[in-house]
Amino acid sequence: MALAEELPQIVTESVPGPKTQEFLKRRNEAVPYGLCGDTYPLCIKRGEGAMFEDLDGNKFLDWVGGVGVLNIGYSRPELVKAVQDQATKYFHTIFNVIGHEGYVTLAEGLNETIPCRGEHKKTYFANSGAECDENAIKIAKAYTGRQGVICFSGAFHGRTNLTMALTAKKAYSRGMGPFPAEIARAPYPYLYRAPKGYTEEEAINYYIEGLKKTFDQGIPANEVACMLVEPLQGEGGFIPAPIEWVKAVRKICDDNGILLIADEVQCGNCRTGKYFASEYWAEAGAAPDIVTTAKSLAGGMPISAITGRAEVMDAAPQGTIGGTFCGNPLSCASGIAAMKIYKEEDFPAKARHIGELVTAGFKEMQKKYSVIGDIRGLGAMIGVEFVTDRETKEPATKLVARLIQEALQRGLLMESAGTSSNVIRFLAPLVMTDEQTKRGLEIFEESLKAALAE
């Protein structure tokens, strides 16, 4: 049986097994501790579909997916062939000097697909999520002639100097300043943790008023170039932005000449049940001005994209955007192949199907375990928030850490999210089989029972 069809199986006494332990010794001697820590004692030997095998022959179901990179799964043959074919021609050109067709073909595909404002769109490429967010801000500043940026509580936008300043959780940036000025942070609509007793409408109004206060207490509206919003927050706890809030933000931006940037680094490329989550915004008449995306754009090859309407994208002076490896030919080849598969095989529908199965399973568990406070998300991007008490909603941070380790010993890879690391994030590859989904939910519950018993 192909690995892609198998179920999790641990063959060593525990994880990590002896061969992986030897690898970890080498890793810890060669690589800074701050990169990996001790949470995941793993080394992959091979991967297919939603499964991977470690050096010791243990087989794991992956609910992390490279943190949203593997929507298309491990080792998709069409992507492998696309990269191999391109590699026989040339590995690299710097697009600013020598153009290549793959760059333009992938840009054309995104221009047709990205749901931002404008009939005529343009796209250019960077290498990572942080880079595309930083580049989008460059574009916004060039177009508006303003310097201010508004970001939101719970946000994660990267680890460059600018994007660390935008990122809310200061564990990612402690001791790394000074950071750029002219950045203000507004409250993101975290409805589960809205003021007690508020209806959803009252909570949304509360968060909108909080944003408006930013103009008085942070940066005047006429000095703000852009607002950077994740349609579904990732590191912040897998929190979808309510559409009514998005519509209000869109109007605030329009009234004040501010560009609205949708950060779809993690939630793009079919994860949320749409090709891009901002399609939900566009359907409500609140399409963003610029969309950034990365992660699953090329199925694991490093590339990110910045897309917006032509007049906005053409505002950047020559020489202020681009970079040596941006739009690498191998990554573009993989991205073109991935986009073809996403569309032909209707990956948004796959996300909706998996999301329905997983959400139903989590809701059944919520009835039995009072530590599950909230279940939320879009498509197959689901967050399960754990609390010590449903009334106080105190984050169950230690329980989630134990849950992750218990699941690992049973062959299920998971990761936490949220400012208190009390949310389990679901980002399994969208090629996960129904049988694997069922077994993953069984392991999740078995692991929760074990974690609660500790």
Side-chain angles (χ1 to χ4, degrees):
M1 182 186 293
L3 178 59
E5 303 298 321
E6 293 192 45
L7 297 176
Q9 183 182 18
I10 302 300
V11 297
T12 54
E13 185 175 338
S14 62
V15 176
K19 291 181 181 178
T20 303
Q21 289 179 34
E22 285 300 314
F23 162 79
L24 294 172
K25 289 178 184 177
R26 291 173 52 209
R27 184 198 73 181
N28 293 341
E29 286 293 320
V31 176
Y33 177 81
L35 182 65
C36 301
D38 299 318
T39 305
Y40 299 104
L42 295 168
C43 182
I44 189 172
K45 180 180 179 181
R46 63 188 180 114
E48 294 177 12
M51 298 289 297
F52 72 92
E53 181 180 344
D54 75 2
L55 298 178
D56 297 282
N58 295 311
K59 295 169 184 175
F60 298 85
L61 177 59
D62 186 350
W63 277 11
V64 175
V67 192
V69 173
L70 295 169
N71 290 358
I72 206 165
Y74 285 96
S75 309
R76 181 76 185 216
E78 296 93 328
L79 272 63
V80 173
K81 186 176 188 307
V83 172
Q84 289 173 333
D85 289 348
Q86 177 58 50
T88 64
K89 300 171 186 174
Y90 49 89
F91 274 30
H92 174 73
T93 75
I94 180 166
F95 190 79
N96 312 49
V97 178
I98 303 175
H100 65 91
E101 192 171 7
Y103 190 113
V104 174
T105 300
L106 185 56
E108 288 170 340
L110 286 169
N111 293 339
E112 293 171 2
T113 307
I114 294 276
C116 60
R117 283 182 167 181
E119 291 299 318
H120 182 197
K121 300 166 191 172
K122 292 190 175 183
T123 293
Y124 72 102
F125 297 110
N127 301 296
S128 69
E131 284 185 57
C132 66
D133 284 344
E134 190 151 337
N135 272 270
I137 291 169
K138 280 187 189 180
I139 293 288
K141 288 182 176 182
Y143 180 74
T144 62
R146 303 173 180 181
Q147 299 299 309
V149 179
I150 290 179
C151 55
F152 292 86
S153 58
F156 181 90
H157 298 295
R159 293 182 177 89
T160 63
N161 187 258
L162 173 58
T163 56
M164 278 195 294
L166 297 166
T167 293
K169 191 172 181 178
K170 291 309 158 190
Y172 290 111
S173 59
R174 192 171 292 119
M176 297 294 175
F179 296 113
E182 298 303 312
I183 294 172
R185 193 175 308 281
Y188 187 88
Y190 193 167
L191 298 185
Y192 178 64
R193 294 190 175 276
K196 191 173 181 178
Y198 274 33
T199 65
E200 182 172 321
E201 183 180 356
E202 289 170 335
I204 288 172
N205 288 334
Y206 167 81
Y207 288 112
I208 292 167
E209 290 305 310
L211 170 58
K212 290 177 179 177
K213 288 177 183 177
T214 308
F215 297 138
D216 296 324
Q217 301 173 5
I219 305 171
N222 62 3
E223 296 178 14
V224 176
C226 59
M227 294 189 194
L228 188 59
V229 180
E230 295 164 89
L232 200 163
Q233 277 198 343
E235 296 288 331
F238 277 42
I239 309 163
I243 290 298
E244 291 304 313
W245 179 84
V246 173
K247 288 163 66 175
V249 172
R250 177 72 271 180
K251 186 176 188 306
I252 290 169
C253 287
D254 289 341
D255 289 347
N256 293 283
I258 298 167
L259 294 184
L260 178 58
I261 302 172
D263 176 348
E264 296 226 33
V265 168
Q266 188 168 159
C267 65
N269 301 291
C270 310
R271 171 56 54 181
T272 64
K274 299 281 189 181
Y275 203 114
F276 286 98
S278 46
E279 288 178 43
Y280 294 108
W281 295 12
E283 289 168 359
D289 296 293
I290 300 173
V291 174
T292 61
T293 190
K295 291 197 182 281
S296 279
L297 176 57
M301 293 294 289
I303 191 169
S304 61
I306 308 95
T307 302
R309 64 184 182 273
E311 65 177 299
V312 172
M313 300 298 285
D314 284 338
Q318 187 173 358
T320 61
I321 58 176
T324 301
F325 292 105
C326 297
N328 170 267
L330 300 175
S331 294
C332 287
S334 189
I336 292 164
M339 178 174 281
K340 184 173 186 288
I341 293 167
Y342 287 148
K343 291 184 175 181
E344 288 182 351
E345 298 186 11
D346 197 355
F347 265 64
K350 292 179 187 291
R352 294 192 297 271
H353 173 70
I354 289 173
E356 287 167 4
L357 293 179
V358 171
T359 300
F362 288 146
K363 286 189 178 296
E364 283 300 311
M365 288 183 230
Q366 189 178 30
K367 295 174 185 176
K368 296 188 278 185
Y369 305 99
S370 62
V371 291
I372 298 179
D374 193 34
I375 299 161
R376 54 183 178 256
L378 293 169
M381 189 170 178
I382 308 296
V384 183
E385 180 159 358
F386 286 84
V387 294
T388 60
D389 181 275
R390 285 182 180 170
E391 183 64 24
T392 66
K393 299 182 182 178
E394 180 183 348
T397 304
K398 292 181 179 178
L399 173 64
V400 167
R402 293 197 300 270
L403 173 57
I404 289 169
Q405 293 306 314
E406 290 288 349
L408 189 66
Q409 295 301 321
R410 292 165 172 80
L412 177 63
L413 179 64
M414 302 192 300
E415 188 178 30
S416 66
T419 54
S420 298
S421 299
N422 67 313
V423 178
I424 290 290
R425 63 173 97 194
F426 178 82
L427 284 171
L430 302 178
V431 294
M432 183 172 63
T433 68
D434 286 357
E435 191 176 6
Q436 289 167 346
T437 302
K438 179 184 176 185
R439 182 59 190 139
L441 288 167
E442 290 171 351
I443 293 175
F444 186 94
E445 185 167 9
E446 292 164 9
S447 303
L448 178 56
K449 287 178 180 177
L452 287 168
E454 289 182 24

